[in-house]
Amino acid sequence: HDDIAYLRQDDSLQIMSYHYRQGVQDSQPLLSGFPYQAMTSADSYLVASTGSDLHFINHKEPGTSDVLTVEAGNEITALTSRGDTVYVSTQSGAIYKIRVGSLPIAEASIKVDLLFAAASAVHEIHTDGDYLFYAIGSDLHRLRLIDNNDSIISMSAEITALESAKGRLFVGVN
């Protein structure tokens, strides 16, 4: 999946894959029929959310997929991943750590852990594997995953984007 870009096409309710080294878009959508929101690319699969559901698509075998409901009726607001571990935030402020193993999902391999419940919805999350970075309004949180120690930096405006590269965290503010 290193040479694939995933394109969420809101107008046609689908997610397509684009092989950018070859300049070719697949003719069939990976996912279709739902208003997909957040997406993340884990090591083994693409994960996309719609409502309270996570849709998993195998990178190497796009025909292999499955769906997991995180918390019925509680909309997913953001996703991030490290390896095959997926971190999910919900409208209620709950942040989950989820592992499903291989696809299709076997009930015995599902592991869903509630990391914590924030005071309000979290719309931006990112992980580097050691920390989970998340934003609530203009507050940037850094949660150490090994012991859940949380530290906060207040920014000058609402945080609208989080990304990391080469050991640095990039924060977008509105």
Side-chain angles (χ1 to χ4, degrees):
H1 66 278
D2 291 336
D3 67 341
I4 297 175
Y6 295 105
L7 311 171
R8 188 183 82 196
Q9 298 175 334
D10 295 341
D11 59 339
S12 57
L13 300 178
Q14 60 187 11
I15 296 175
M16 302 293 292
S17 60
Y18 177 76
H19 303 267
Y20 58 83
R21 291 184 191 193
Q22 300 155 348
V24 176
Q25 179 173 310
D26 286 349
S27 60
Q28 297 296 313
L30 293 170
L31 291 169
S32 63
F34 294 99
Y36 301 101
Q37 296 143 348
M39 295 188 328
T40 188
S41 183
D43 280 356
S44 299
Y45 28 74
L46 169 70
V47 184
S49 71
T50 182
S52 58
D53 293 337
L54 292 176
H55 297 258
F56 293 81
I57 303 291
N58 187 300
H59 285 304
K60 293 181 180 169
E61 299 172 25
T64 304
S65 64
D66 214 333
V67 178
L68 175 70
T69 300
V70 176
E71 185 181 338
N74 195 4
E75 186 172 316
I76 295 167
T77 57
L79 298 174
T80 190
S81 59
R82 184 66 166 197
D84 280 336
T85 301
V86 179
Y87 296 89
V88 176
S89 66
T90 64
Q91 190 64 38
S92 70
I95 306 279
Y96 293 95
K97 177 180 177 181
I98 298 174
R99 290 180 296 271
V100 298
S102 61
L103 298 179
I105 299 169
E107 192 71 31
S109 66
I110 299 171
K111 183 147 176 64
V112 178
D113 297 315
L114 175 66
L115 291 180
F116 65 94
S120 61
V122 174
H123 294 279
E124 299 295 334
I125 61 175
H126 185 74
T127 188
D128 66 359
D130 295 321
Y131 294 92
L132 181 71
F133 302 95
Y134 64 98
I136 299 177
S138 62
D139 290 336
L140 174 63
H141 293 255
R142 183 183 76 163
L143 180 76
R144 189 169 46 214
L145 292 170
I146 197 163
D147 62 7
N148 284 356
N149 182 23
D150 194 19
S151 56
I152 302 171
I153 298 172
S154 291
M155 305 300 282
S156 61
E158 181 181 3
I159 298 168
T160 57
L162 296 176
E163 187 58 62
S164 68
K166 297 183 181 181
R168 298 192 187 333
L169 179 69
F170 298 89
V171 180
V173 295
N174 195 6

